[in-house]
Amino acid sequence: MACIFQTIQFKEKIMSKFLILPVTRHVNAAAVAQSVAQALPQAAVFNPVQDAHAVEQLLAAGKGDDWLDDLIGQTAALNVQNLVIQGITPDADHLLLSGKNTDLATSFNAQIIFAVTGDNSAEVAKRVELAKQAFAGKTVTFAGVICDNPKVAELTQLPYLGSAAQVSGLNPATGETDRVSPAQFRFNMMQKAREANKRIVLPEGSEPRTVRAAAICHEKGIARCVLLANPAAVHAVAESLNITLPDSLEIIDPETIAEQYVAPMCELRKSKGMTEEQAREQLKDTVVLGTMMMAQNDVDGLVSGAVHTTANTIRPALQLIKTAPNASIVSSVFFMLLEGQTVVYGDCAVNPNPTAEQLAEIAIQSADSAKAFGIEPRVAMISYSTINSGSGPDVDLVIEATKLVKEKRPDLPVDGPLQYDAAVVPSVAKSKAPNSPVAGKATVFIFPNLTTGNCTYKAVQRNANVLSVGPMLQGLRKPVNDLSRGALVEDIVYTVALTAIQAQQQAA
């Protein structure tokens, strides 16, 4: 596969990032990085490997994502116009580390400057071409080559930027990318959740994954979790799994608080003739109890689904919380953390066969969710047809939904119907939809029905080994989020973070 080249244009005040990638031995990456930084205004050099042994321990423990997220946080604090990242020099003693340059480039969305040395220009050029192959299929930008041998410029078909001593002629980037890498998305999400400081109820309070996730949320300050369960049962689970429960973690026995929600629940359901006995019976369900806690403003959000079905999680919310004033339906999105970019898929969990009006509302809700989480929305209405290449009821549905989105939200870049490849691959977009404002660069993908959406997200998640965060429910007056029953601990942690952020946004 060939590399995907993309012209990038940077807006004022947006940090331009360059990765100095050493591809031959004896390259002093630190010196090259310093020279490049001196040639750029308001620039800083960042070394991602201060302690090689500590980083290798993280990688060996399967915590490579934690390392990248921490790097994003460190560089965000630098607050500079241009960031020059010192790439990892190939080293026989640290082979695992030198293989992480690709992750650094995609996590930072950095433009790559190859740093080379050597007298044999043909050999040097070959090494640069080999280094480029490590990025095959990835959306990256190659900014040029720094080498003492000017012949490399012609042989590599990349701009020759001079030697480290001569690089003062380097021009700052004039382009920008609004791609949000997985590491950037995770860092931003955790940071926003910490700032929100919301109280989130977990009705499946003694479920092992939930207990561990709640402990992590408190350790990292992501949210103030409330476990609804018998305290003895929670402590037994924690002990069996060697989990240390933070003192700040709330554990509430449902039986001790249920009675206080009987009267409010009867009031909320009086149109259905609910009696106190019926309310007491329903409040034995911890999801119902947690939903009532939220209805009474005792908690800010709810996360459930590790044991309960989606219907069990959503039904009480629809009955007791109800939809937001501007929403007629509840839908869902997944944040798909693809390599180098985070995108949004909707609806993959709730609405089986939406009408054109509902599909348009799903698109608008999903675009707004993307924007709220730092992803610039460009909405692709997905179909098996691109523009006018097909016909039939399924295509007509997407055509009508696209028209409605444009009428209701003229501010949103939206197009459809688009086939998936036309939505994401620039070369296909140029051929099939050359005048589209979205094709080839979509960030929000709206599927025509639940079958298509659910199958697509699972196929991408499993076969491409992509982390999917969600489903995040949209359209409710207060945030309730559903977990997959196969959810991992990290899935629960991320969903708690999403819920906290939603609660903050809805309170604003």
Side-chain angles (χ1 to χ4, degrees):
M1 292 184 293
C3 285
I4 303 169
F5 291 88
Q6 192 171 50
T7 301
I8 295 182
Q9 295 183 343
F10 282 91
K11 292 178 185 171
E12 211 173 326
K13 295 186 180 178
I14 289 182
M15 186 189 293
S16 299
K17 298 164 189 169
F18 301 89
L19 174 67
I20 305 303
L21 187 60
V23 294
T24 56
R25 289 186 299 170
H26 311 304
V27 171
N28 189 334
V32 176
Q34 287 291 345
S35 296
V36 172
Q38 289 169 8
L40 297 170
Q42 299 179 36
V45 172
F46 178 69
N47 180 4
V49 183
Q50 301 287 346
D51 183 339
H53 179 67
V55 175
E56 286 181 325
Q57 282 189 315
L58 276 176
L59 298 177
K63 295 183 177 180
D65 287 348
D66 290 349
W67 173 57
L68 293 169
D69 294 356
D70 181 59
L71 297 181
I72 293 292
Q74 291 180 46
T75 57
L78 294 175
N79 193 28
V80 292
Q81 181 181 334
N82 292 288
L83 180 70
V84 182
I85 303 163
Q86 180 181 322
I88 304 167
T89 302
D91 183 341
D93 294 329
H94 302 289
L95 289 177
L96 180 61
L97 272 183
S98 58
K100 291 299 174 180
N101 279 320
T102 306
D103 290 340
L104 289 173
T106 55
S107 293
F108 282 97
N109 279 321
Q111 300 180 68
I112 297 165
I113 296 176
F114 294 108
V116 296
T117 188
D119 297 328
N120 187 327
S121 60
E123 179 64 23
V124 168
K126 183 180 77 172
R127 287 188 175 276
V128 171
E129 292 300 328
L130 286 172
K132 286 167 64 178
Q133 293 309 306
F135 298 91
K138 305 181 193 310
T139 304
V140 295
T141 301
F142 298 131
V145 176
I146 290 178
C147 181
D148 288 332
N149 187 342
K151 294 181 180 179
V152 171
E154 179 181 352
L155 291 170
T156 61
Q157 298 180 336
L158 284 172
Y160 174 62
L161 304 176
S163 68
Q166 301 167 333
V167 79
S168 57
L170 176 66
N171 292 320
T174 57
E176 174 201 326
T177 177
D178 60 12
R179 293 192 304 270
V180 178
S181 74
Q184 290 169 327
F185 178 81
R186 289 190 301 263
F187 173 79
N188 293 342
M189 177 173 59
M190 295 306 183
Q191 191 73 5
K192 287 181 179 180
R194 290 187 190 100
E195 292 169 0
N197 189 31
K198 294 299 181 180
R199 192 169 183 236
I200 308 299
V201 64
L202 305 173
E204 300 158 327
S206 60
E207 194 278 326
R209 291 165 295 168
T210 301
V211 174
R212 189 179 293 279
I216 292 171
C217 286
H218 277 251
E219 289 165 6
K220 296 189 174 184
I222 294 167
R224 292 174 288 131
C225 295
V226 179
L227 296 177
L228 279 185
N230 180 288
V234 176
H235 284 284
V237 168
E239 186 176 351
S240 69
L241 297 176
N242 198 27
I243 299 170
T244 300
L245 296 177
D247 293 338
S248 59
L249 178 59
E250 285 186 81
I251 306 170
I252 299 178
D253 189 335
E255 293 183 2
T256 65
I257 63 169
E259 187 62 29
Q260 72 189 66
Y261 295 104
V262 171
M265 187 169 178
C266 289
E267 178 63 24
L268 285 172
R269 300 289 286 159
K270 63 183 179 182
S271 64
K272 300 297 182 182
M274 176 169 283
T275 66
E276 289 189 357
E277 255 336 285
Q278 289 172 328
R280 286 191 184 94
E281 186 61 31
Q282 289 195 23
L283 285 165
K284 292 178 181 177
D285 182 335
T286 54
V287 177
V288 175
L289 178 58
T291 305
M292 275 305 305
M293 293 174 71
M294 190 165 50
Q296 293 300 106
N297 297 317
D298 293 332
V299 293
D300 302 300
L302 178 149
V303 173
S304 181
V307 176
H308 294 83
T309 65
T310 296
N312 289 147
T313 298
I314 296 178
R315 188 185 302 111
L318 291 173
Q319 294 173 343
L320 302 168
I321 300 297
K322 305 191 184 303
T323 56
N326 60 345
S328 64
I329 61 168
V330 174
S331 66
S332 72
V333 289
F334 282 92
F335 294 93
M336 305 297 291
L337 277 60
L338 309 177
E339 190 173 46
Q341 183 176 19
T342 304
V343 299
V344 172
Y345 283 4
D347 174 5
C348 305
V350 180
N351 297 283
N353 293 291
T355 64
E357 290 76 13
Q358 290 173 330
L359 195 59
E361 185 164 349
I362 291 167
I364 292 169
Q365 289 178 344
S366 302
D368 287 343
S369 290
K371 187 77 173 177
F373 283 83
I375 299 169
E376 192 61 32
R378 290 184 289 273
V379 184
M381 308 294 283
I382 300 299
S383 175
Y384 62 77
S385 167
T386 291
I387 310 299
N388 57 4
S389 66
S391 61
D394 292 340
V395 176
D396 293 341
L397 172 78
V398 177
I399 291 172
E400 179 62 19
T402 305
K403 178 184 174 184
L404 290 171
V405 175
K406 290 178 178 178
E407 290 174 355
K408 293 179 179 180
R409 289 289 300 274
D411 60 303
L412 285 179
V414 59
D415 204 2
L418 290 173
Q419 291 163 291
Y420 195 96
D421 58 350
V424 298
V425 182
S427 60
V428 177
K430 186 176 181 180
S431 170
K432 292 187 174 183
N435 300 315
S436 173
V438 168
K441 53 187 177 183
T443 57
V444 179
F445 300 80
I446 305 303
F447 299 99
N449 53 53
L450 190 56
T451 298
T452 307
N454 193 270
C455 290
T456 302
Y457 112 77
K458 285 188 180 293
V460 173
Q461 177 191 42
R462 299 301 180 183
N463 281 357
N465 194 27
V466 164
L467 177 64
S468 62
V469 179
M472 186 181 84
L473 299 183
Q474 310 170 129
L476 286 167
R477 192 165 54 87
K478 293 189 176 183
V480 172
N481 282 313
D482 177 45
L483 300 165
S484 163
R485 277 169 283 176
L488 302 175
V489 170
E490 68 177 357
D491 296 331
I492 301 174
V493 171
Y494 289 146
T495 303
V496 169
L498 289 180
T499 307
I501 296 167
Q502 280 185 295
Q504 177 69 21
Q505 292 164 346
Q506 291 177 359

